[in-house]
Amino acid sequence: MGGSAFAAAKPGESTPNICRLPIYIYNSLSREYTDRLSVFYERVAVPRSAPEKTSHGDLDVLVSNARHQFSVEDLAAKLGALKFIHSARNPTTNFAIPLGKSLQEGVERISDDGSDAQCFQLDVNVCPPEILDWEVFHKAYGDLWSILGTSVRPFGLTVNNTGLHLRIRQIEEQDRKRSLLYLTRTPAKTLAFLGLDNERYGKGFESIEELFRFAASGSFFRRESFIKEELKTNDRQRLRQREIYRRFVEEYLPMHPEVGRLDDEERGTGDDEVVTREYVLKEALDTFNVQPQYHTVVREWEKKQQESEMWRKVAAVIPLEGGKLNLVIRGLKRWATLNSDGELCLRDEAVLDGAGGIPVVTAEGGGESKLLDWVERNWEEVREREKRRVGEAKQHRKALSEA
């Protein structure tokens, strides 16, 4: 959180003096607290810093596989924390830890309560074991993956904290989260698919220039993806708040007009004309062998869309609105069924668990018109049955509460 977790203190609470850490202090604390946390967790890692970074607002440590049972209070005490912020819904706990006297000179305070005590912010992020290696990879080198994320987005790819994903176009337009199809969380496979040199990545980067050159070397890099006026909202926010991302967009690309153009031979693809979103879809499905998953997701989505469209048409033939209409729609889902001849009818008892109900039909074969005709003839009966069922259920709950 850049050292800002403790900035907003509750009324009556003091705010610890959180300091920015010069790189030599950061490196020393990184080693020390990796060792300390290793007493509590089997796996402890600190992502690589961006090159040329001179100071850090906090120390981020990723952990997994607790060695034994302990409370956050136990951990805070062992770490020597003055304060901590913890939530059961958040995998990251923030600790304010006093700096030793020998480390306090030359640090810059981020927040200040007027006291002499100087602290640094330690963020301990508990990861699922299968995610930790990916998270170390994804968080490495500062804004590298923000740059790469912008470059691969037009091709239907998303890189987030759980892995590399394909966005299914026809689903993305209505539900971005459901459109994500998981491909891999193996770093080497991810780099290879993006046309990035795994061996070069493993050597690290001595300068921002080297980092930028690497980011722009992938098969899917196009400078058009970084036109400021066309950036997505999140990217515009990064442009304002993330120094390395801003430098890449506003300094590196203008100084290197040859980078990311279609005639750039250094991006590792000699057939740029075919590198479209459809091409990447096919390559992803083949490379990661996820054709069955893709087709299953698409079929389920199409079925859901057909069902939504069917119920929209059903609602249109019922001359009610608002809650009264919703009552009938719920009633149709609970009372309608098919008899042994495959004809629509009303069941003797309502089904409340979602089983049965009206099957999804389309206009093919006249099934849709039969359905709508049946609804027009029977919706009033459905309304009366559902109203009676709701009333009886209320009476039953009231009797139980009074018993």
Side-chain angles (χ1 to χ4, degrees), residues 5-272:
F6 295 93
K10 295 179 181 179
E13 286 188 358
S14 61
T15 302
N17 297 325
I18 302 297
C19 305
R20 288 196 67 83
L21 302 172
I23 193 65
Y24 71 95
I25 294 179
Y26 172 87
N27 289 337
S28 174
L29 292 173
S30 177
R31 291 188 294 270
E32 177 183 349
Y33 283 87
T34 295
D35 290 341
R36 289 196 184 197
L37 287 165
S38 294
V39 176
F40 292 86
Y41 298 94
E42 293 180 9
R43 304 190 64 200
V44 181
V46 177
R48 294 184 184 185
S49 299
E52 301 180 17
K53 194 170 180 69
T54 59
S55 66
H56 289 259
D58 55 23
L59 172 59
D60 291 317
V61 184
L62 308 178
V63 301
S64 71
N65 302 87
R67 293 184 182 275
H68 50 82
Q69 198 168 23
F70 57 88
S71 66
V72 66
E73 289 80 9
D74 296 332
L75 183 57
K78 291 296 184 181
L79 296 175
L82 189 67
K83 288 189 174 183
F84 64 85
I85 299 173
H86 174 73
S87 169
R89 298 186 300 273
N90 190 338
T92 300
T93 301
N94 316 108
F95 298 92
I97 301 177
L99 284 167
K101 291 288 185 182
S102 61
L103 299 178
Q104 291 189 15
E105 292 185 10
V107 297
E108 173 191 350
R109 291 188 179 186
I110 297 174
S111 58
D112 194 339
D113 67 355
S115 68
D116 294 330
Q118 299 189 63
C119 301
F120 75 95
Q121 180 177 312
L122 171 67
D123 293 344
V124 178
N125 187 342
V126 181
C127 303
E130 68 277 10
I131 293 291
L132 187 134
D133 287 339
W134 173 263
E135 277 282 66
V136 172
F137 172 70
H138 184 238
K139 292 179 179 293
Y141 302 119
D143 297 331
L144 172 61
W145 280 102
S146 292
I147 296 170
L148 293 174
T150 300
S151 68
V152 303
R153 187 184 301 122
F155 297 96
L157 297 171
T158 288
V159 184
N160 60 23
N161 64 336
T162 61
L164 174 66
H165 303 262
L166 179 74
R167 299 193 314 279
I168 302 174
R169 188 195 292 269
Q170 59 266 47
I171 300 177
E172 179 186 9
E173 296 173 356
Q174 298 184 51
D175 193 329
R176 183 180 175 87
K177 186 175 181 180
R178 288 196 179 191
S179 77
L180 295 180
L181 178 68
Y182 169 77
L183 299 176
T184 184
R185 65 172 65 97
T186 302
K189 291 181 179 179
T190 299
L191 292 174
F193 187 73
L194 300 184
L196 294 164
D197 189 334
N198 185 45
E199 184 177 352
R200 175 66 190 87
Y201 178 88
K203 292 178 180 178
F205 308 99
E206 296 296 326
S207 67
I208 290 293
E209 178 80 12
E210 288 184 7
L211 183 74
F212 288 166
R213 195 179 308 129
F214 177 81
S217 68
S219 300
F220 306 129
F221 184 83
R222 304 289 186 273
R223 66 186 301 112
E224 291 79 11
S225 300
F226 293 87
I227 296 173
K228 292 174 64 174
E229 294 75 17
E230 298 180 13
L231 289 175
K232 299 291 186 181
T233 302
N234 288 344
D235 289 335
R236 291 198 298 270
Q237 187 176 18
R238 292 185 184 100
L239 202 60
R240 294 190 299 270
Q241 300 177 357
R242 305 296 301 181
E243 176 66 14
I244 293 177
Y245 190 89
R246 183 196 64 76
R247 287 178 59 183
F248 181 79
V249 175
E250 296 184 351
E251 298 175 14
Y252 181 78
L253 289 180
M255 290 175 61
H256 298 81
E258 77 286 355
V259 169
R261 296 198 183 280
L262 290 179
D263 58 353
D264 184 0
E265 297 179 358
E266 296 181 353
R267 284 177 294 148
T269 175
D271 200 7
D272 290 305

